[in-house]
Amino acid sequence: DGGITQSPKYLFRKEGQNVTLSCEQNLNHDAMYWYRQDPGQGLRLIYYSQIVNDFQKGDIAEGYSVSREKKESFPLTVTSAQKNPTAFYLCASSIGQAASYEQYFGPGTRLTVT
Amino acid sequence: LAKTTQPISMDSYEGQEVNITCSHNNIATNDYITWYQQFPSQGPRFIIQGYKTKVTNEVASLFIPADRKSSTLSLPRVSLSDTAVYYCLVGDSTGTASKLTFGTGTRLQVTL
């Protein structure tokens, strides 16, 4: 079955620690995205990548970092510089990065930092 | 950058038709209109996309007037399982993902 996987589903960390969220897709999509969602809010774009070894900042990139060493993988690191990291994180992919392409979302990772 | 405005919430009874309208006054010539559905603690799921006039698929219809400054998602005969948040997005077919904005969406509650 093709799709996007994110792991883990729940993640707990102490303040001041960096944490890396996994995102893998086997859809052979070129574009991948990371979003953040806070309770009762919409999704905000953190980073996106159109091709391997290339990625761009979204609207709220501060305190986050990504890598795209393989087409199928786009891990997100939440650094200690992120002031309010507790949130629901969603990874998505699409054939291309234009808005007309459907985005396929993973199940999400709920990060809690205390 | 086209901003969208949707009602915060809507209520419906099972079996009724639900119409959710999205306003996008600054829509650009190259922009498409896309709707997603999101259940709690899940990622959004694509429902339908259109550019102008009417688009219909197996789950919904999308009505877009000639001026394209608004659009209406129509869900026929909703069931309890249609309770979710619905997002209207407007984005450039040639632009970058940074132009995609998921607003707060419309929270649809379906009851018996």
Side-chain angles (χ1 to χ4, degrees):
Chain A
D1 287 334
I4 299 182
T5 57
Q6 291 185 244
S7 61
K9 190 171 180 63
Y10 297 96
L11 191 55
F12 298 88
R13 281 294 183 269
K14 293 290 187 184
E15 192 173 317
Q17 294 179 334
N18 290 355
V19 59
T20 297
L21 281 57
S22 168
C23 177
E24 303 280 331
Q25 55 100 358
N26 61 3
L27 299 168
N28 199 32
H29 284 171
D30 286 319
M32 296 188 74
Y33 315 82
W34 273 104
Y35 292 91
R36 168 186 172 131
Q37 186 172 36
D38 293 289
Q41 303 298 312
L43 283 67
R44 291 184 289 170
L45 183 64
I46 305 173
Y47 268 98
Y48 62 99
S49 168
Q50 186 180 6
I51 55 173
V52 174
N53 293 322
D54 182 66
F55 47 82
Q56 305 295 328
K57 293 181 179 180
D59 300 321
I60 55 164
E62 185 176 346
Y64 300 97
S65 66
V66 293
S67 63
R68 186 85 186 277
E69 297 176 0
K70 298 186 296 182
K71 187 175 185 177
E72 57 271 21
S73 179
F74 191 40
L76 172 75
T77 297
V78 184
T79 75
S80 57
Q82 169 50 234
K83 297 286 185 251
N84 187 16
T86 294
F88 186 48
Y89 290 88
L90 287 158
C91 179
S93 71
S94 61
I95 294 174
Q97 76 167 27
S100 55
Y101 294 117
E102 176 182 348
Q103 291 193 22
Y104 294 78
F105 284 82
T109 292
R110 191 168 297 279
L111 173 66
T112 302
V113 177
T114 57
Chain B
L1 177 62
K3 177 180 168 67
T4 60
T5 302
Q6 306 173 231
I8 293 174
S9 64
M10 295 182 68
D11 295 310
S12 178
Y13 292 107
E14 199 174 40
Q16 290 187 326
E17 178 184 78
V18 171
N19 296 308
I20 305 175
T21 297
C22 179
S23 172
H24 28 80
N25 291 319
N26 296 325
I27 190 168
T29 303
N30 292 330
D31 284 346
Y32 280 75
I33 301 156
T34 310
W35 287 79
Y36 284 81
Q37 174 193 57
Q38 185 181 26
F39 298 112
S41 297
Q42 294 186 26
R45 185 183 67 166
F46 173 92
I47 301 176
I48 197 166
Q49 183 183 77
Y51 182 79
K52 62 180 180 179
T53 63
K54 176 183 174 183
V55 179
T56 298
N57 61 22
E58 62 276 9
V59 298
S61 294
L62 179 59
F63 298 92
I64 306 169
D67 66 6
R68 305 201 324 126
K69 293 185 183 298
S70 67
S71 59
T72 299
L73 173 72
S74 181
L75 305 171
R77 298 180 298 280
V78 294
S79 65
L80 296 176
S81 62
D82 293 315
T83 294
V85 177
Y86 293 82
Y87 296 97
C88 166
L89 279 72
V90 173
D92 191 336
S93 63
T94 61
T96 67
S98 63
K99 291 187 176 182
L100 279 180
T101 301
F102 284 78
T104 52
T106 298
R107 189 171 302 273
L108 173 65
Q109 179 69 52
V110 181
T111 55
L112 292 173

